[in-house]
């Protein structure tokens, strides 16, 4: 395959009506423009072999007891120059960032806490605020091994689905593999109670 010349890439702004070039796009026009940019970006980036990406920092071994809930923090980073939609992007045509986990039997996934995004406007629609993540962000989740789990180490696996954009266009959604290891230990033994001494026993 030949090299990709970024100068030949079609700008979605070429398809904007001239009267909207410096004004806010009406909702209907904005939605159409958004769909068009995804299609154009998909073709262009497929030729280049490159795409905006998100990375995840390694997670230290998580230790937890059976029948207890433990919070796990997953730290992500959006490559510089791009942002991704938050979990609540404020537009039905934008794909929210979402974490999906597939846990081993008898280990239950608790609440997933997404960070609040930042409301940002972009040149193509300066009066419209989109809710996004950029730079570093953290997603917290609760892991709850049931009392029936055999003590040991277990690998938790899942995917982060996201849609990246820059200041001019949005790109097709991608998925990032997510994994971390959990060490499950036995719960502490219940303290033993000493039987009460009979009042008739004397030393």
């Amino acid at each position: 395959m030949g090299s990709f010349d970024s100068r030949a890439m079609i700008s979605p702004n070429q398809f904007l009506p001239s009267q909207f070039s410096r004004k806010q796009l009406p909702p209907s026009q904005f939605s159409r423009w958004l769909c068009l940019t995804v299609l154009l970006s998909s073709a262009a980036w497929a030729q280049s072999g490159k795409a905006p990406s998100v990375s995840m920092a390694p997670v230290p071994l998580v230790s937890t007891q059976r029948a207890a809930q433990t919070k796990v923090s997953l730290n992500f980073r959006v490559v510089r120059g791009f942002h991704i939609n938050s979990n609540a992007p404020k537009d039905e045509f934008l794909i929210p960032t979402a974490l999906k986990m597939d846990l081993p039997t008898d280990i239950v996934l608790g609440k997933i806490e997404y960070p609040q995004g930042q409301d940002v406007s972009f040149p193509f629609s300066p009066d419209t605020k989109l809710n996004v993540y950029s730079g570093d962000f953290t997603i917290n989740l609760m892991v709850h091994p049931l009392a029936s789990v055999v003590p040991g180490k277990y690998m938790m696996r899942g995917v982060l689905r996201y849609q990246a954009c820059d200041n001019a266009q949005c790109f097709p959604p991608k998925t990032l593999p997510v994994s971390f290891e959990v060490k499950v230990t036995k719960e502490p033994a219940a303290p033993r109670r000493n039987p009460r001494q009979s009042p008739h026993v004397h030393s």
Side-chain angles (χ1 to χ4, degrees):
M1 180 181 294
S3 60
F4 173 70
D5 185 354
S6 61
R7 294 173 297 180
M9 183 172 169
I10 300 174
S11 170
N13 291 328
Q14 291 178 291
F15 293 86
L16 286 176
S18 59
Q19 64 267 33
F20 296 129
S21 59
R22 294 186 180 181
K23 297 179 182 180
Q24 177 188 9
L25 288 172
S28 60
Q29 290 286 340
F30 174 76
S31 297
R32 292 175 185 174
W33 181 91
L34 186 61
C35 293
L36 180 60
T37 60
V38 172
L39 291 174
L40 292 173
S41 301
S42 177
W45 284 91
Q47 295 179 53
S48 68
K50 300 178 181 178
S53 63
V54 175
S55 59
M56 181 179 129
V59 180
L61 179 66
V62 177
S63 294
T64 183
Q65 295 176 355
R66 290 189 301 191
Q69 292 197 56
T70 299
K71 184 172 76 171
V72 181
S73 295
L74 305 179
N75 299 308
F76 299 93
R77 173 169 293 177
V78 182
V79 69
R80 186 174 181 179
F82 295 92
H83 58 269
I84 65 173
N85 301 325
S86 74
N87 183 248
K90 294 187 175 181
D91 189 282
E92 61 179 333
F93 289 93
L94 295 175
I95 297 174
T97 294
L99 177 67
K100 302 292 184 182
M101 298 298 300
D102 183 16
L103 303 189
T105 303
D106 292 339
I107 298 182
V108 178
L109 178 66
K111 183 179 179 181
I112 298 178
E113 296 180 347
Y114 295 92
Q116 291 186 350
Q118 181 181 8
D119 289 334
V120 181
S121 60
F122 297 96
F124 53 80
S125 187
D127 295 331
T128 300
K129 296 285 188 180
L130 301 181
N131 197 259
V132 303
Y133 302 143
S134 60
D136 298 338
F137 67 97
T138 299
I139 297 177
N140 295 316
L141 64 152
M142 302 298 293
V143 173
H144 181 198
L146 302 181
S148 57
V149 174
V150 177
K153 292 182 179 180
Y154 295 87
M155 185 61 68
M156 313 288 112
R157 302 184 189 277
V159 294
L160 181 76
R161 187 169 189 247
Y162 65 92
Q163 183 182 32
C165 307
D166 59 18
N167 289 341
Q169 57 198 329
C170 289
F171 299 86
K174 295 182 65 178
T175 56
L176 172 70
V178 171
S179 65
F180 58 91
E181 194 171 30
V182 171
K183 181 181 179 180
V184 181
T185 60
K186 292 181 179 180
E187 60 274 23
R192 295 182 179 180
R193 295 182 179 180
N194 294 325
R196 294 182 179 179
Q197 188 177 28
S198 171
H200 302 288
V201 176
H202 300 281
S203 55

